[in-house]
Amino acid sequence: MCTTCGCGDDAGVRVTEPGSRPHSHPHSHGDGHSPSRDDGHDHDHRDAEHGRLVMLEQQVLAKNDRLALANRHWLAEREILAVNLMSSPGSGKTTLLERTIRDLDGDLPVSVIEGDQETQFDARRIQATGCRAVQINTGAGCHLDADMVARGLRVLEPPRASVVVIENVGNLVCPALFDLGEAAKVVVTSVTEGADKPLKYPHMFRAADLVLLNKIDLLPYVDFDVARFIRDARSLNPRVAVLPLSATKGEGLSDWLDWLRKHLAES
Amino acid sequence: MHELSITQSVVDAVRERLPDTPIASIQLEIGKLSGIVADSVRFCFELVVDGTPLEGARLDIDEPGGRAHCACCDTEFELEDSILLCPCGSADVAVLAGQQLRITSVEVV
């Protein structure tokens, strides 16, 4: 399997940059990643009644967490702020990104890793703003993992001191569990989805470093209790910041852009 | 359906640590606050081990409950779900247990 683009991957994951020319094989890529070995340990315990018991004491996601740590180091060395953008399908992640890139107007360099099961629609939408974007298609997969993001980063080659937004697969369940090496997990919810989402999907809202409440221009037309939404989100995640905004009309966008500037300065 | 990739990670980790060793059983700890459904892992396990040296191995899952500490009243209490609320009414609580997702041991044939 090509470790850069994933072509030939049995798992069906594909990393592509729409519009780029196909590359030839064989090739090599310096990756700068050197994941450490297992963090667990093992030793034997004899049991007369049963077989030999080997203590592993290993985190199930240890491998993903090691790769995420390698991504985090790789990004930190380059002073890159990586944001893992998560939501249900249709909450407006891609529209928010298009608007964010347009409003920043080159103020902050942004590039994007798009995650979807299929199609290059979103990467092409981002590219249309003039921004670099690679598409990861997970095939049957319901979330991005640290290995996919490592491969995406190598294709994307983001510049130093820039922002990389990783738009995760639209899903309020699975992506919450997988560390990608990002600096912050940002959860987007739209008012058309209903204010009950935090309590229905507690793991996602517990994992969030920031919650963006999108489509607030539609509040006059939907039954959405903003105060209840914020209260429920904070019952799961007491200190989480919630920024209401409208990606299409621009209301509240400046708070989100300020958040990006502040966190890039700290990375 | 992240349980499928979680279960694949369990099987990969065991095979990496004990390659070519016949395995009788695997002991897992899946905390009640971990976001993983133990029954789904059991279901996926049979699919994932099919055709591997782990085929036929037993999967034992321990599901420890959630515990948290309240900074307001300085007490520990049981957490039934992810709502971080102490019986005293404070939400200033830290989760102490229940989020585990670990392979504790394996039994070799």
Side-chain angles (χ1 to χ4, degrees):
Chain A
M1 184 193 78
C2 164
T3 56
T4 290
C5 65
C7 47
D9 187 355
D10 293 338
V13 175
R14 303 175 303 284
V15 181
T16 49
E17 182 177 10
S20 68
R21 284 183 303 167
H23 56 278
S24 59
H25 291 79
H27 56 207
S28 62
H29 303 273
D31 67 2
H33 290 223
S34 53
S36 59
R37 280 284 302 155
D38 291 338
D39 55 349
H41 66 284
D42 51 334
H43 54 266
D44 298 353
H45 291 255
R46 295 281 172 183
D47 183 326
E49 295 275 324
H50 305 95
R52 187 165 59 97
L53 199 64
V54 180
M55 305 307 288
L56 288 187
E57 298 293 348
Q58 180 172 324
Q59 299 297 327
V60 171
L61 290 174
K63 186 177 173 188
N64 183 74
D65 292 347
R66 280 200 309 276
L67 293 169
L69 189 64
N71 287 347
R72 195 163 276 120
H73 286 152
W74 191 92
L75 291 159
E77 282 166 7
R78 290 158 182 78
E79 299 171 8
I80 293 169
L81 171 69
V83 174
N84 180 3
L85 202 59
M86 298 182 285
S87 80
S88 52
S91 66
K93 291 187 298 300
T94 314
T95 302
L96 174 68
L97 271 177
E98 290 172 315
R99 179 73 189 231
T100 301
I101 294 161
R102 269 207 313 277
D103 284 12
L104 284 170
D105 195 24
D107 182 19
L108 304 180
V110 180
S111 49
V112 176
I113 295 176
E114 283 287 347
D116 282 299
Q117 285 199 323
E118 294 295 344
T119 81
Q120 299 187 355
F121 294 163
D122 284 359
R124 291 188 189 282
R125 280 176 63 184
I126 297 300
Q127 286 180 332
T129 67
C131 170
R132 287 284 310 279
V134 297
Q135 181 77 51
I136 298 176
N137 287 126
T138 58
C142 52
H143 57 269
L144 295 178
D145 64 31
D147 180 51
M148 296 176 201
V149 169
R151 287 154 55 187
L153 286 171
R154 278 176 240 156
V155 175
L156 190 64
E157 295 178 334
R160 288 191 74 84
S162 67
V163 177
V164 172
V165 181
I166 304 160
E167 186 181 330
N168 218 312
V169 178
N171 178 345
L172 275 179
V173 183
C174 314
L177 292 169
F178 292 83
D179 186 5
L180 305 180
E182 73 279 331
K185 289 179 162 70
V186 176
V187 175
V188 185
T189 310
S190 57
V191 301
T192 50
E193 293 168 66
D196 54 4
K197 289 298 169 286
L199 297 188
K200 282 185 169 177
Y201 300 95
H203 293 280
M204 181 57 77
F205 286 86
R206 266 182 60 194
D209 296 297
L210 173 67
V211 174
L212 301 179
L213 179 59
N214 193 19
K215 307 189 189 179
I216 57 167
D217 53 303
L218 300 179
L219 275 174
Y221 312 105
V222 294
D223 184 17
F224 188 97
D225 184 340
V226 175
R228 176 195 164 192
F229 175 81
I230 294 174
R231 189 175 64 242
D232 287 351
R234 291 204 176 127
S235 75
L236 300 161
N237 190 344
R239 276 167 276 277
V240 75
V242 181
L243 300 180
L245 54 82
S246 164
T248 52
K249 306 296 181 202
E251 191 181 350
L253 250 291
S254 58
D255 290 338
W256 160 236
L257 300 184
D258 287 345
W259 186 94
L260 282 174
R261 288 191 188 94
K262 175 173 175 280
H263 284 76
L264 178 61
E266 290 169 358
S267 65
Chain B
M1 197 53 183
H2 50 281
E3 280 81 3
L4 185 59
S5 53
I6 296 285
T7 311
Q8 186 68 56
S9 300
V10 170
V11 170
D12 290 347
V14 170
R15 292 190 66 190
E16 192 178 315
R17 296 287 285 276
L18 299 163
D20 307 321
T21 309
I23 304 294
S25 69
I26 299 175
Q27 283 71 47
L28 282 186
E29 211 174 60
I30 300 180
K32 286 192 187 299
L33 307 180
S34 66
I36 309 295
V37 181
D39 279 343
S40 294
V41 173
R42 289 188 187 96
F43 175 78
C44 293
F45 186 71
E46 285 182 32
L47 304 176
V48 169
V49 297
D50 190 32
T52 76
L54 272 67
E55 192 172 342
R58 196 180 72 244
L59 186 65
D60 302 326
I61 302 182
D62 183 27
E63 297 178 73
R67 287 195 64 74
H69 176 261
C70 174
C72 196
C73 65
D74 194 26
T75 53
E76 279 189 25
F77 61 100
E78 304 285 329
L79 263 183
E80 295 297 320
D81 52 37
S82 296
I83 311 290
L84 303 181
L85 200 62
C86 176
C88 80
S90 166
D92 190 4
V93 297
V95 178
L96 303 174
Q99 301 184 102
Q100 305 97 310
L101 180 54
R102 291 192 309 153
I103 309 164
T104 47
S105 58
V106 296
E107 187 189 354
V108 174
V109 174

